[in-house]
Every structure is written in C-alpha cells, then in structure tokens.
Amino acid sequence: MYNLSCYNPSSFILLGIPGLEKLHIWIGIPFCAIYVVALVGNCILIYLIVVEHSLHEPMFLFLSLLATTDLILSTATVPKLLNILWLGLREITFSGCLTQMFFLHFSFVVDSAILLAMAFDRYVAICFPLRYTTILTPQLIVKLMVTTVVRSFLVILPDVFLLKRLPFCRTRIIPHTYCEHIGVARLSSADISINIWYGFAVPLMTVITDVIFIAVSYIFILCAVFQLSSQGARQKALSTCGSHVCVILMFYTPAFFSILAHRFGHGVPRNVLILFANFYVVIPPALNPVVYGVKTKQIQEKFLLLVSFQKTQ
C-alpha cells in the first residue's frame, strides 16, 4: 500500500511564493487585474475576428488562435495562484497538477508555432504580394493551424506519462505557484534523467527551431523591404510587421530570460524567479490584444464600431 501510494499520490502542496507569505494578499491584486485584462482583451479579439468577415484573413485567423492559447495559458495558472495567495488553498490533486502542467507547456509550444506561422504570413505578404492569396489559401491556413495544435499535443503529452511513472515518497511539497514538468519530477527520489533529457529536447525541437525559422523569415523580409525604391513603401511594409515583432519580443525575451535565470542565476532569490515566472504567464496574454488593437487599423475600426453600437443600444 505504501508503494502504491507513492506511485499514485493523492495531491501536492503548492507553497506559493516562499519568503513573501505576508505579502500574498497584496501580490494577488495586480495578478488579478492583469488576468481580467487578458480575459476581456482576448475574448473581444476572438469575438471581433469571428463575427467580422473582413477579418477572416490569414493573419487574423492566426491571431484568433494565439488569443485562444493565451487564454488557456493564463487560465491554467492564475486562478490557482489567486486561490493560494488569497484563500490559502495550496493543495492540488495529482491529476490536477498533471493537467495544469500539460496545458502550461502545451500553450507555450502552440504560441511559439503560431508566431512562426505569422512570420510566414508576413514573409509571403511582403516578398510575394501578388501571389499572397494563391499561396495562403484557406486550406493551407487550416492545415497550418491544425499542425501547430497537433504538434504541440504530441510533444507535450509524453511529459504526463514521464511524471506518472515516478514514485513520490520523499516529499510532495512544490515550492512554486504552479506545476511544471521538471519542478514536479525533482520531487521524486527515482532517476529522472529521462525527464531532464526530454525536457531539454522539447524546447530544442520546437521553440528553438521556431525562433530560427522566424529569424530567417525576417532576414528575407528585410532584404525585400530594403530593395524597395520608395521610402513610403518601405515604411508601410515594415509597419505591417510592427505588431508581430512586438509580440515576438514579449513572448521570447522573458521566456529565455526565465530559462537562463533558472539554469545559471544561482544568486537570484527564488521568490524573485517565481514572481517573474508568474508575470510571464499573465502579462503577454494581457498585452497581445492591446498591441494588435493599437497597431492594427482594422481591429481598431471594428472595436470602435462595436463600442459605438453598444452605446446606441
């Protein structure tokens, strides 16, 4: 029975932000506010893209998928975070921990793939403007969107089984606010070398590869833009990429900083790393709709039309 309970633990305990327990109530306020912004912004964005036929273009269809995965990313972590900070509900079931871990990593890999698809869209729009509609057909868009989801599902699903095979007899206390693959695996007294290597291989196979292809696509884009004779045409071409570049920087910069800080920042206090990790899963989902709303004229117009229509009701 003891061994059976090791392999089938009933629950884990999430400590929250160790060392800042007295500030938990106050820390939860900005997280709650940012989460509400993320929910409202992404829901409005998805609604506008769904109901407005003029927004049924490749870039906006990719954007709707990005907004959906951003909702999954923030919803998988923030509600439990607020339960810990405000209500002291630190317990999470084993199945709930695995579910949270899956959707956390799944949405991250999907987001990365969507940014690559958006980069491909901008590449075709700028480098092959006359063939844009013939290359990016509705069938190809659907295939790209399905591929991003299926790829992410297939590479993250093994994480669940790699954790389920481990015994957890030593401790079930997680010094964090959410469950992530390696953090949970380190609680086991068994050999976790497979978990470590797979956890290293997944970002290498997916996220790093996406970053390389995004960089290559923007090299081609810049080459095409600087070959344009008109200064106005250059500015117009670059402005179409502005919002995408901002989202790329907001997504990858804190992600790589967090990874490097966990690997090499041994002098950084753990509570700082945990705070940063939590801001990472809530701030990009909140800012992405704002960035596209500010920098994309079509979304601005449809949003203002929606607001004016609601006021007349």
Side-chain angles (χ1 to χ4, degrees):
M1 291 296 295
Y2 177 73
N3 289 335
L4 184 61
S5 66
C6 286
Y7 283 94
N8 297 276
S10 59
S11 62
F12 291 110
I13 301 297
L14 294 165
L15 289 185
I17 308 174
L20 298 178
E21 288 83 1
K22 294 182 179 179
L23 299 175
H24 273 185
I25 294 177
W26 300 104
I27 292 173
I29 295 174
F31 278 108
C32 182
I34 298 171
Y35 178 58
V36 170
V37 172
L39 281 180
V40 174
N42 284 290
C43 286
I44 291 175
L45 195 58
I46 294 170
Y47 174 78
L48 289 176
I49 294 172
V50 169
V51 300
E52 294 293 340
H53 293 286
S54 61
L55 297 180
H56 291 179
E57 299 177 6
M59 190 66 173
F60 298 115
L61 294 177
F62 291 137
L63 182 57
S64 66
L65 184 57
L66 181 68
T68 303
T69 53
D70 280 346
L71 285 174
I72 295 173
L73 175 63
S74 55
T75 302
T77 54
V78 179
K80 183 59 183 176
L81 168 67
L82 296 179
N83 277 328
I84 295 170
L85 297 180
W86 286 350
L87 304 177
L89 301 177
R90 300 180 178 184
E91 187 175 10
I92 184 171
T93 62
F94 182 57
S95 59
C97 185
L98 293 180
T99 302
Q100 186 186 57
M101 181 273 300
F102 173 81
F103 282 109
L104 175 70
H105 296 308
F106 168 78
S107 55
F108 179 80
V109 177
V110 171
D111 274 359
S112 179
I114 296 169
L115 292 178
L116 174 59
M118 287 178 160
F120 176 67
D121 171 84
R122 294 299 85 197
Y123 165 72
V124 175
I126 292 175
C127 297
F128 304 99
L130 300 179
R131 297 172 55 196
Y132 180 79
T133 55
T134 57
I135 294 176
L136 287 172
T137 60
Q139 293 80 7
L140 179 61
I141 299 304
V142 172
K143 289 179 181 178
L144 288 174
M145 294 175 73
V146 171
T147 301
T148 60
V149 175
V150 172
R151 183 194 75 160
S152 304
F153 179 84
L154 292 178
V155 298
I156 298 302
L157 185 62
D159 285 346
V160 176
F161 297 100
L162 288 174
L163 287 179
K164 289 191 73 172
R165 72 183 181 88
L166 296 174
F168 295 93
C169 297
R170 186 176 55 185
T171 180
R172 295 176 187 175
I173 298 175
I174 304 174
H176 211 300
T177 58
Y178 55 75
C179 299
E180 55 94 15
H181 178 213
I182 300 301
V184 176
R186 284 176 177 159
L187 300 181
S188 175
S189 55
D191 181 18
I192 63 168
S193 56
I194 296 177
N195 298 71
I196 293 173
W197 281 109
Y198 191 77
F200 174 76
V202 166
L204 194 64
M205 292 186 302
T206 56
V207 178
I208 302 299
T209 304
D210 293 343
V211 171
I212 292 172
F213 281 117
I214 290 172
V216 171
S217 67
Y218 269 95
I219 289 173
F220 284 116
I221 288 172
L222 290 175
C223 290
V225 167
F226 288 118
Q227 287 178 358
L228 297 174
S229 57
S230 170
Q231 182 70 24
R234 292 179 189 174
Q235 292 179 350
K236 184 178 180 181
L238 290 175
S239 66
T240 62
C241 301
S243 54
H244 183 234
V245 172
C246 289
V247 171
I248 287 174
L249 293 176
M250 287 190 304
F251 180 78
Y252 287 115
T253 303
F256 287 132
F257 177 82
S258 181
I259 292 171
L260 292 174
H262 274 89
R263 293 292 183 272
F264 307 107
H266 302 296
V268 181
R270 183 164 185 81
N271 51 26
V272 174
L273 295 177
I274 294 174
L275 268 175
F276 189 84
N278 280 280
F279 275 118
Y280 169 70
V281 298
V282 70
I283 288 182
L287 291 182
N288 287 347
V290 176
V291 169
Y292 274 97
V294 170
K295 288 185 170 289
T296 308
K297 188 177 180 180
Q298 293 117 304
I299 293 179
Q300 280 183 14
E301 293 173 350
K302 298 305 178 185
F303 177 73
L304 293 175
L305 187 64
L306 176 65
V307 173
S308 60
F309 175 78
Q310 293 294 331
K311 287 181 178 180
T312 59
Q313 295 298 312

